[in-house]
Amino acid sequence: ILASILSLIIYWIIRDRYRVRNLNGKHVFITGCDAGLGNSLAKWLDKKGFCVIAACATEKGSQELQSCSSLSLKTVNLNLADSNSIAKAVVFVTEQTAGKGLFGLVSYAEGTAPVAPTDWLRIEDFHSVLDVSLLGLIEITLKLLPLLKKAEGRVVNLINAKGLMAFVGSGYSLSKWGMEAFSDTLRIEMQHFGVKVSIVEHGFFKAEEVNSDIIEKYLFKLWNRLTPEIRDSYGEKYL
């Protein structure tokens, strides 16, 4: 019993050493803050005392987040599928950090992905999710690395674990597996600069419950645009 108590005390002492202190002045940039996980995280870190820079895809999302946060929380519009939008966001983050560097980058994005057999899809269907949830996140990470290295900060990539199970066609699983590989490689390379790279594989959230009517509507849309040859090879029974 004494050994167990002693081990627990040692564990708490070691764990406490890794707790981040002096939060004031530490800037954290979070993508995907319009709603859901990114939105909740921005509010929570803001209450903890971090200088939060929240990226939102819509003006409405920015206004709603600012209305329930402190004055230190800043928002910026960001379209991860647009390199110009990414460049403007990077300039904004650089100005806000004022030479201190970036303490944290939290990347979260859920691109729209059609659910259908692979040969029902076109290349633009893959772009609709990969341009946001993979290439967009990679691009903004690359452009913020100098600020992260300056502050010896950390990168945290939030990846939906359901995307790691490749059970349906589309770029959704591709984007999640791609972010895993990118994160693992970046972690090894950034160790030399004191930058930490972490992956958080999360599950379903109530806010993310899927509307089956929308999925069905999209499925019929894809079915109707198929060539007669492909439709005949599957048949109405398959649909």
Side-chain angles (χ1 to χ4, degrees):
I1 293 173
L2 288 174
S4 299
I5 294 173
L6 182 61
S7 298
L8 188 61
I9 292 172
I10 293 172
Y11 164 76
W12 277 103
I13 291 173
I14 293 174
R15 198 185 91 150
D16 197 54
R17 289 177 58 195
Y18 286 94
R19 190 179 298 277
V20 178
R21 305 186 187 281
N22 301 320
L23 306 183
N24 291 333
K26 287 183 167 61
H27 290 82
V28 179
F29 179 60
I30 310 171
T31 67
C33 294
D34 292 83
L37 185 56
N39 183 276
S40 298
L41 182 62
K43 294 175 183 175
W44 188 75
L45 291 181
D46 178 52
K47 291 179 180 178
K48 287 288 183 180
F50 284 99
C51 297
V52 176
I53 306 171
C56 298
T58 64
E59 191 63 35
K60 179 182 177 182
S62 296
Q63 292 174 355
E64 290 180 350
L65 182 57
Q66 286 178 321
S67 67
C68 55
S69 305
S70 73
L71 294 177
S72 66
L73 183 144
K74 308 297 181 183
T75 61
V76 60
N77 290 336
L78 175 63
N79 177 6
L80 285 169
D82 183 357
S83 292
N84 291 328
S85 179
I86 290 175
K88 290 178 181 178
V90 171
V91 170
F92 183 81
V93 173
T94 303
E95 292 172 348
Q96 291 297 316
T97 54
K100 298 178 182 178
L102 186 61
F103 179 77
L105 166 62
V106 182
S107 292
Y108 175 69
E110 291 284 293
T112 303
V115 178
T118 299
D119 66 346
W120 292 21
L121 305 174
R122 299 172 181 171
I123 193 63
E124 53 265 30
D125 297 318
F126 287 87
H127 277 295
S128 68
V129 61
L130 292 176
D131 287 350
V132 174
S133 298
L134 180 59
L135 299 178
L137 291 181
I138 289 175
E139 183 175 356
I140 199 161
T141 301
L142 295 177
K143 291 186 175 179
L144 289 173
L145 280 180
L147 294 178
L148 289 160
K149 289 158 71 174
K150 188 170 187 176
E152 293 190 355
R154 64 265 299 124
V155 177
V156 181
N157 289 323
L158 306 180
I159 300 174
N160 198 319
K162 69 177 181 281
L164 302 179
M165 299 176 287
F167 61 91
V168 67
S170 83
Y172 190 83
S173 294
L174 290 176
S175 69
K176 303 311 172 188
W177 286 64
M179 281 305 295
E180 292 268 343
F182 174 72
S183 303
D184 289 341
T185 304
L186 190 66
R187 182 184 306 113
I188 297 169
E189 296 169 346
M190 288 295 108
Q191 282 181 340
H192 174 74
F193 301 99
V195 175
K196 299 176 182 178
V197 179
S198 303
I199 298 171
V200 176
E201 295 174 349
H202 62 85
F204 273 109
F205 288 86
K206 189 173 182 181
E208 294 180 350
E209 288 180 352
V210 178
N211 188 325
S212 59
D213 291 335
I214 295 176
I215 293 178
E216 184 176 330
K217 183 179 179 180
Y218 207 111
L219 192 65
F220 275 102
K221 180 181 177 181
L222 294 176
W223 172 262
N224 291 329
R225 80 176 188 189
L226 293 176
T227 63
E229 291 79 13
I230 295 180
R231 273 205 302 269
D232 291 343
S233 69
Y234 281 90
E236 292 286 345
K237 185 177 180 180
Y238 182 91
L239 177 63

